[in-house]
Amino acid sequence: MKIALYSVTYAGGWYEGPALSVAEVFGRASRHGFDGVEIGCKRPHFSPLDVTEAEAAEVVASARDEGIEIPVLAAYNDFSSPVEERREAEMLVLRQIVDLAAAMGTPIVRVFAAWPGVTATSRGLGYETPRRLMEYQLRNADAMETWMRVRDALAESVEYAERAGIKLALQNHGPVIRGFEDVLDFVSEIASPHIGVSLDCPIMPDQSDAAVSRAVSETGALIIHSHFGGEFDVNADGIPKQRQFDNQRALPNDRAFVRAMAEAGYAGYLSYELCHPVLRGHDRAGIEEVDRQVDRASRYMRGLVAEVSVGAVGTIA
């Protein structure tokens, strides 16, 4: 398994200070021991509104100079709208991202069933307003109709990805998707080798060893990408450990997840994303705290991967 840094971590809004450029994210990833960078395909980093295929080639060269791979481009699509024009616009943007991936030699585009979005506020980025809007939309729509809209838009997008030689990775992210079982249903109904799964442990509703292992086991070879997240402290020996923050219900069971992924033979990327406000008290922290978390995340996950690869116990406190 390899580890990647998701560019959303340095997109600004989560911390006090400006966004980094994609090239600067490559530099941070290299400095902190990551193998690759997952690029978010929205402003300020890699929106198809702004990036041409020629500019994408320059980004690939910049990554190569830092010894960094670009294994995944990340789309932010919402296929749940009952409005046809909105779904068509979402499919169009996704097609443009697939074209960029093909031009860059990036094999995977991460997709959602229904991404609520974020809102820029005076305090940075926030999730509350878009989540309320989506909750209203879904509450006033027929659930089966919503499912079919999402499935049909995904299926059409998969056909385009197949022509481009790209795979889509459907993430187990709500609200339409309630768990990995729903992801498997979508993938089964679409029935194409050009759609796989981005299975993420932090958003699983049940963090027990048994539930996490079952999700990995039943998803199996369909897993083509994954994310991890969170914040980290260090113990007395300087070894990173998970930090409880904000309103987390339970810490992600990363150890059980990585162990199950290793047993399943997963050899792809685990991508670190810091995609929530980084607070110290009631104020946003500076980018130096993001750097600190990125470094700890790299060492934390490398330690877990090494632990399961040799069957060691207790190397991470």
Side-chain angles (χ1 to χ4, degrees):
M1 282 178 272
K2 298 181 179 180
I3 61 170
L5 175 61
Y6 191 173
S7 72
V8 69
T9 301
Y10 285 106
W14 308 124
Y15 53 88
E16 189 64 41
L20 298 187
S21 68
V22 173
E24 288 172 322
V25 176
F26 294 152
R28 288 297 208 287
S30 178
R31 181 189 313 168
H32 295 296
F34 289 87
D35 304 295
V37 166
E38 175 180 352
I39 304 178
C41 291
K42 58 178 287 186
R43 290 173 175 171
H45 281 155
F46 211 67
S47 170
L49 287 168
D50 306 318
V51 181
T52 66
E53 290 189 7
E55 290 168 333
E58 295 176 3
V59 168
V60 173
S62 176
R64 189 182 304 117
D65 289 344
E66 292 284 358
I68 291 294
E69 296 180 342
I70 306 174
V72 179
L73 297 185
Y76 292 85
N77 59 291
D78 169 22
F79 288 156
S80 69
S81 174
V83 181
E84 286 188 350
E85 293 87 348
R86 293 182 182 175
R87 295 197 306 279
E88 290 177 4
E90 297 279 347
M91 283 190 284
L92 177 59
V93 173
L94 180 54
R95 285 188 175 195
Q96 293 171 325
I97 293 169
V98 167
D99 285 340
L100 287 172
M104 297 166 67
T106 293
I108 297 170
V109 173
R110 189 286 314 276
V111 295
F112 294 112
W115 171 242
V118 296
T119 300
T121 72
S122 61
R123 303 182 305 280
L125 298 179
Y127 293 115
E128 185 174 348
T129 297
R131 284 176 176 170
R132 287 180 176 178
L133 291 172
M134 180 161 281
E135 286 170 4
Y136 176 84
Q137 172 190 299
L138 296 178
R139 187 169 60 248
N140 289 278
D142 180 87
M144 187 60 69
E145 290 291 332
T146 297
W147 180 278
M148 290 188 291
R149 291 184 190 111
V150 171
R151 182 198 60 199
D152 293 348
L154 280 170
E156 186 173 344
S157 299
V158 167
E159 291 176 2
Y160 191 83
E162 182 174 2
R163 291 196 293 270
I166 298 297
K167 282 190 173 185
L168 303 185
L170 179 60
Q171 189 174 356
N172 58 318
H173 196 292
V176 171
I177 287 173
R178 297 160 297 178
F180 79 94
E181 297 93 343
D182 284 345
V183 180
L184 293 182
D185 283 348
F186 274 123
V187 171
S188 174
E189 291 177 19
I190 293 167
S192 167
H194 285 267
I195 184 168
V197 177
S198 176
L199 185 66
D200 296 2
C201 178
I203 52 180
M204 292 182 187
D206 186 345
Q207 291 293 327
S208 68
D209 287 1
V212 169
S213 297
R214 184 173 73 87
V216 173
S217 175
E218 294 188 15
T219 309
L222 289 172
I223 306 172
I224 58 176
H225 191 53
S226 184
H227 302 88
F228 70 105
E231 295 184 19
F232 303 91
D233 292 317
V234 293
N235 65 17
D237 296 325
I239 299 174
K241 60 180 182 179
Q242 292 170 297
R243 170 197 293 166
Q244 193 89 31
F245 72 94
D246 196 20
N247 59 349
Q248 271 184 319
R249 291 169 296 179
L251 288 172
N253 193 348
D254 293 330
R255 176 176 276 102
F257 181 74
V258 172
R259 181 181 295 114
M261 293 281 270
E263 291 172 352
Y266 180 71
Y269 269 89
L270 303 166
S271 185
Y272 175 64
E273 55 179 328
L274 198 164
C275 53
H276 61 266
V278 183
L279 301 177
R280 294 300 167 260
H282 290 87
D283 297 316
R284 286 182 296 163
I287 196 171
E288 66 279 354
E289 179 58 25
V290 179
D291 289 336
R292 187 176 297 113
Q293 290 302 317
V294 165
D295 180 70
R296 291 173 180 174
S298 173
R299 294 191 289 120
Y300 168 81
M301 187 52 68
R302 285 199 178 281
L304 274 185
V305 171
E307 175 186 320
V308 301
S309 69
V310 298
V313 177
T315 59
I316 294 188

